[in-house]
Amino acid sequence: MSKEINDIDNHWYIDEQFDSRGIDNEISQLEFNNQYTFNQVKVNTKADITFVGDSVLDCKYYTGTGLGTVDYVLEQLPKHIKDTAHKRVNDISLDGYTIYDCIKDVNKVHGDTVVVSAGGNDLLAKLPMLEVSKDMNVVMNVMNNELNKLSLAYETLLHESKKHGRNFLLLTTYDGNLAFNPQRFAGVDEIAKAILSMWNERLYRLANDQQRRNNGQNFDVLELRNFMATTCYYNEIEPNKRGAKRIAKNINKYLFDNGVW
């Protein structure tokens, strides 16, 4: 059965020292006075690990450092691994990507480990549907149908990315900090969180279903809601430096435990 990364005993790697100082100055928007140049996505066909998905991974525009989650994955590594680790990584994540964008890029996926973050932007696109009716039963029925469509799309992504011996780490969609922009989520914040939970439940079921098929692949889930706090976001949904570091740290827990590094 697929398991959460948090179920794995990795106490030796848990280190939240950068969170013990309160809200860091570096997450302030003031840092955006600095100008950063971001390269276009380049495919590394010789990579062992591919990162595919949205701004949960490609958040360099929001950290104030020009570094995104994948950059912090590499930065956190011990020196003897870090020196060559970048040659083993294929980062094709892109801010704004949906599940359907990821499907389009499956030919760019390389290596035996794939980290996927997808679904958040698809859910945001469905936000107006929460106001189709004042009857909550009607709204939930509409959203259930939409979530089923997204689940089928995600299953297609995994199917198209299949390869014997390949391991997948699927990132859940987090709650975010909806209070940052109350107007955007006015009147729908609670139901939005309920829809989010429904989506994540589908992701777990999908991972378990794929695991049961036992096609020489493994599917694990990283539960972002377990460690992303309200101080981990640049705005209502994008990770800041702290959030990117937390996500990177927990991805590294998975990579170390599975002998990738």
Side-chain angles (χ1 to χ4, degrees):
M1 172 179 278
S2 174
K3 58 183 177 298
E4 294 183 26
I5 182 64
N6 303 77
D7 294 334
I8 300 171
D9 183 10
N10 271 300
H11 291 92
W12 63 272
Y13 198 72
I14 295 176
D15 176 14
E16 294 292 338
Q17 62 179 353
F18 60 86
D19 288 319
S20 63
R21 299 171 294 176
I23 300 179
D24 295 337
N25 291 331
E26 57 263 36
I27 69 175
S28 169
Q29 193 169 350
L30 293 175
E31 282 210 8
F32 285 80
N33 291 329
N34 297 325
Q35 296 298 316
Y36 300 102
T37 300
F38 303 111
N39 297 324
Q40 292 184 345
V41 172
K42 295 181 180 179
V43 179
N44 180 6
T45 59
K46 298 181 180 180
D48 298 318
I49 313 162
T50 288
F51 293 86
V52 58
D54 50 32
S55 61
V56 172
L57 299 172
D58 178 30
C59 55
K60 54 185 175 286
Y61 300 101
Y62 312 106
T63 59
T65 62
L67 301 178
T69 297
V70 180
D71 299 304
Y72 285 119
V73 167
L74 297 172
E75 184 180 85
Q76 292 170 1
L77 296 174
K79 187 178 186 307
H80 69 283
I81 300 176
K82 184 189 300 186
D83 290 344
T84 58
H86 66 281
K87 298 179 181 178
R88 302 177 56 196
V89 167
N90 178 35
D91 180 14
I92 58 173
S93 62
L94 194 62
D95 182 13
Y97 255 31
T98 66
I99 298 171
Y100 301 96
D101 292 315
C102 294
I103 294 173
K104 179 190 64 177
D105 279 358
V106 291
N107 63 320
K108 300 177 183 177
V109 175
H110 299 279
D112 290 335
T113 301
V114 182
V115 180
V116 183
S117 173
N121 289 314
D122 303 85
L123 293 177
L124 285 174
K126 308 294 182 184
L127 197 61
M129 293 185 177
L130 299 181
E131 300 177 338
V132 296
S133 172
K134 293 183 179 180
D135 187 332
M136 195 56 60
N137 290 324
V138 173
V139 172
M140 296 306 290
N141 184 56
V142 169
M143 291 308 301
N144 262 312
N145 290 334
E146 294 301 314
L147 292 178
N148 287 339
K149 294 176 185 177
L150 293 181
S151 183
L152 287 173
Y154 205 113
E155 184 175 6
T156 300
L157 170 61
L158 297 180
H159 177 76
E160 294 296 318
S161 305
K162 68 179 180 180
K163 175 187 173 185
H164 185 80
R166 179 167 279 172
N167 299 315
F168 291 84
L169 179 63
L170 313 181
L171 277 55
T172 64
T173 301
Y174 46 53
D175 292 333
N177 181 19
L178 304 189
F180 182 91
N181 188 352
Q183 290 184 337
R184 183 178 187 182
F185 298 94
V188 298
D189 52 344
E190 291 304 319
I191 188 173
K193 290 181 179 179
I195 298 300
L196 183 71
S197 294
M198 293 164 60
W199 165 249
N200 285 324
E201 288 171 5
R202 282 169 168 77
L203 188 64
Y204 277 108
R205 288 200 300 267
L206 182 57
N208 285 325
D209 180 61
Q210 294 293 317
Q211 191 73 17
R212 281 194 298 268
R213 295 182 185 182
N214 195 22
N215 294 324
Q217 302 174 108
N218 290 299
F219 298 84
D220 291 299
V221 177
L222 175 57
E223 179 55 83
L224 302 188
R225 292 173 296 178
N226 284 346
F227 54 84
M228 291 292 282
T230 55
T231 55
C232 291
Y233 303 99
Y234 166 73
N235 50 26
E236 62 267 39
I237 55 174
E238 315 292 356
N240 58 21
K241 178 181 177 181
R242 173 178 293 175
K245 281 189 171 183
R246 284 195 183 188
I247 297 167
K249 187 166 299 227
N250 282 273
I251 290 174
N252 266 328
K253 287 167 62 178
Y254 169 86
L255 297 176
F256 274 107
D257 187 81
N258 286 273
V260 180
W261 292 133

